[in-house]
Amino acid sequence: MSAYHEYLIHMKDGTIKQVNPITETEVWSVPGRDNRPLRPGYNNEARERHEPEDYCDFCVSQLDSTPPEKNRLVLENGQYVMKPRLSYHEARQNSWVFRRVSNLFEIVSLNYWSKNYNYHLDENIAQWKRSYLDDPAGRQHVLKIVDYKLKMAGKRPEEIEAISEQEKLHQVDPFFAGTHELIICHRHFVPGEGPASELFASGDLTPDEHFAYMNFTIAAMKDIYSHNRYVRYVTTFQNWLSPAGASFDHLHRQLVGLDEWGTALEWASRKVRDNPNIYNELLVNFAAHTNRVVAENDHAIAFVDIGHRYPSLAIYSKSAKTRPHELLPEELKDMSDLVHAMHAALGRKISCNEEWYYTPKDSMDKIPFHILIKLRVNTPAGFEGGTRIYINPITPYRLRDTIVPAL
């Protein structure tokens, strides 16, 4: 406890200086700046309601706008069931709760794995690709996606038309074996009568749906690892609304396979190596000692975190297991419930990033499984760039006092 004063400093004028114990990022919350209301991440202007929904490329009636489905989660007789590697026609024959597809605009492309690691599709994926393309409808679907990518790359219609079908088919492997994926929710707007206005957000899922969402995401992580042995870490995140980086204001989560851990986890691993108890000592226990805990259950705890560029909520698993797929079902359910509760408390209109952290598969340094929800309500500017001191407009205690009544 004697070291806590180094990370959370209350100045006499009311300024609260924060330093994150893991990243060492310095953040100030300045009196007066937290009086501003949280700005909404979208304009909820009413739109004409359509059923089935067709508001964006992720909507239920726009299946031809996304690549072939790597997996689908459906509700059958009260149970969530996964339907992997559907054919074109199978994907259009039943309803779904979540879908898993490749991202058309990859951060880490399949070409990256092919050129740098000589990666090739394994036989299971290659067989799915062959059967999908053998179906004329499936082939036309895939060619339509290729044409769209070429158009977005700046090709003129006549240039796209001049490319042969065989050349286009050489570009489809990322749709089947890419390691940048999307988990897409079935709803765009909250269901109901009248015009559509309220976007369907994480907090609008039922607790069981959110748990299914989390399990489906973890199944995708495992699948990426199993089909590409060069992947060392699958980073997992959710961008809610355009200020948080979302291309569509439609609930979805993303996964990206990487051949390294990234700077944040490298830094965290060094911290854990020096002090294996640092996450207990300077994150969770510190939050409890400074009254920043907002919710807790048997297997997880949620608190307002400090030292982030944006106001942040942290949800930590209490499990001794440090990778999501290793958690017992009851441990994962409690994590899901707290993450879901934080989203429900924040509401639909606050733009935020949900970021997952866990121990990489090839690490011996134990980083507990935890999820950060960062509210994108401020924009770092010149002061931050010149000083590396970030101005967070909401103090940890104002965020706590906002979340707890909402919970």
Side-chain angles (χ1 to χ4, degrees), residues 150-398:
L150 292 170
K151 176 184 175 183
M152 297 305 292
K155 296 287 187 183
R156 298 190 302 273
E158 59 271 23
E159 291 178 304
I160 297 172
E161 183 69 25
I163 301 172
S164 71
E165 180 175 302
Q166 200 58 41
E167 287 179 278
K168 290 178 180 179
L169 291 175
H170 284 312
Q171 302 180 40
V172 306
D173 281 2
F175 305 161
F176 298 92
T179 61
H180 186 170
E181 301 185 349
L182 303 169
I183 307 291
I184 300 172
C185 179
H186 64 298
R187 294 297 312 183
H188 188 102
F189 286 110
V190 175
E193 299 297 326
S197 62
E198 295 289 347
L199 292 170
F200 190 90
S202 286
D204 294 307
L205 297 166
T206 68
D208 283 345
E209 284 175 332
H210 192 273
F211 184 39
Y213 187 24
M214 186 166 277
N215 273 308
F216 195 52
T217 303
I218 292 169
M221 294 170 67
K222 292 172 64 178
D223 197 51
I224 291 171
Y225 280 125
S226 68
H227 287 102
N228 187 333
R229 63 191 180 94
Y230 306 108
V231 171
R232 296 179 61 204
Y233 190 74
V234 177
T235 187
T236 305
F237 55 95
Q238 177 174 292
N239 302 331
W240 175 242
L241 306 180
S242 54
S247 299
F248 295 113
D249 289 341
H250 186 124
L251 181 60
H252 65 284
R253 189 174 278 150
Q254 299 189 54
L255 304 95
V256 183
L258 303 172
D259 58 349
E260 57 178 73
W261 301 349
T263 302
L265 283 177
E266 294 277 3
W267 189 261
S269 294
R270 288 195 291 271
K271 289 280 190 174
V272 169
R273 210 167 299 140
D274 292 340
N275 177 6
N277 197 44
I278 191 170
Y279 277 95
N280 280 327
E281 181 183 331
L282 294 181
L283 273 295
V284 181
N285 293 351
F286 185 15
H289 278 290
T290 51
N291 296 317
R292 289 181 285 116
V293 174
V294 297
E296 185 175 6
N297 56 29
D298 288 343
H299 300 292
I301 185 168
F303 57 89
V304 178
D305 207 359
I306 61 171
H308 295 285
R309 298 183 188 190
Y310 307 102
S312 299
L313 296 164
I315 304 92
Y316 273 74
S317 169
K318 298 180 186 178
S319 175
K321 303 295 185 182
T322 58
R323 300 179 180 96
H325 67 275
E326 296 174 343
L327 267 62
L328 297 172
E330 58 269 25
E331 294 174 329
L332 190 62
K333 180 64 164 67
D334 276 3
M335 269 295 283
S336 175
D337 284 348
L338 286 194
V339 173
H340 180 237
M342 297 306 111
H343 282 299
L346 288 171
R348 306 177 185 121
K349 298 178 183 178
I350 301 301
S351 183
C352 61
N353 297 112
E354 178 187 298
E355 303 169 355
W356 292 28
Y357 299 85
Y358 58 94
T359 301
K361 71 173 186 178
D362 54 349
S363 173
M364 296 181 67
D365 303 303
K366 301 299 183 183
I367 296 169
F369 174 39
H370 60 284
I371 291 174
L372 298 181
I373 300 174
K374 298 179 178 178
L375 285 59
R376 295 295 293 271
V377 295
N378 55 298
T379 303
F383 175 83
E384 288 88 345
T387 63
R388 292 296 188 268
I389 297 171
Y390 295 91
I391 302 299
N392 190 325
I394 303 175
T395 70
Y397 301 101
R398 187 192 172 202

